[in-house]
Amino acid sequence: RAVILEDVRNSHAHPSADELYQMVRKKLPRISLGTIYRNLEILSELGEIQKLELSGSLKRYDGHTQRHYHIRCVACGAVIDAPIAPFGKLEEELYHATVFEILGHNLEFTGLCPACSRAREKAS
């Protein structure tokens, strides 16, 4: 579990379980994919990592557990952290408008990463 946690925290690419499996196997060649999945679930439940269930893509994992947003490239699927602060006031306003107990929110931006944008321009 420590090796999986270390690899998630050291990756800024928000890896999928399969990508983590390939990374962890370099250190622990006998580890199974099932062990990776089980431990990712445990680490997520413990709050050590974030499980990202972004639209249009695989589940990905993030070692940065503070609340933040993500940007996903619709062409290649790359995911990066959005460099803006979370909208805390939004939850408060929604609570007052609906009286729902707001437990949190997810915001995903979509677009084209610089590499896919350049490739698209070259193809045009």
Side-chain angles (χ1 to χ4, degrees), residues 10-25:
N10 288 337
S11 174
H12 298 289
H14 304 83
S16 68
D18 289 337
E19 291 166 338
L20 280 164
Y21 175 61
Q22 296 304 320
M23 293 176 354
V24 172
R25 280 191 62 198

Side-chain angles (χ1 to χ4, degrees), residues 50-62:
Q50 279 191 61
K51 179 173 33 173
L52 306 177
E53 299 185 61
L54 304 172
S55 60
S57 66
L58 300 166
K59 286 182 191 167
R60 295 186 168 276
Y61 298 89
D62 191 347

Side-chain angles (χ1 to χ4, degrees), residues 31-113:
I31 196 163
S32 71
L33 184 56
T35 299
I36 297 289
Y37 274 104
R38 276 191 303 281
N39 282 284
L40 286 171
E41 286 300 316
I42 291 168
L43 290 168
S44 177
E45 289 170 8
L46 292 173
E48 294 290 328
I49 62 173
Q50 279 191 61
K51 179 173 33 173
L52 306 177
E53 299 185 61
L54 304 172
S55 60
S57 66
L58 300 166
K59 286 182 191 167
R60 295 186 168 276
Y61 298 89
D62 191 347
H64 179 196
T65 57
Q66 291 85 8
R67 205 159 100 201
H68 63 286
Y69 303 127
H70 297 94
I71 305 170
R72 180 178 53 86
C73 178
V74 296
C76 70
V79 176
I80 66 166
D81 293 338
I84 60 172
F87 304 131
K89 221 166 163 42
L90 181 66
E91 291 180 4
E92 185 179 322
E93 289 179 27
L94 189 57
Y95 169 77
H96 291 298
T98 65
V99 195
F100 266 70
E101 179 184 350
I102 306 300
L103 301 176
H105 69 273
N106 297 314
L107 178 61
E108 173 191 4
F109 296 92
T110 58
L112 292 173
C113 69

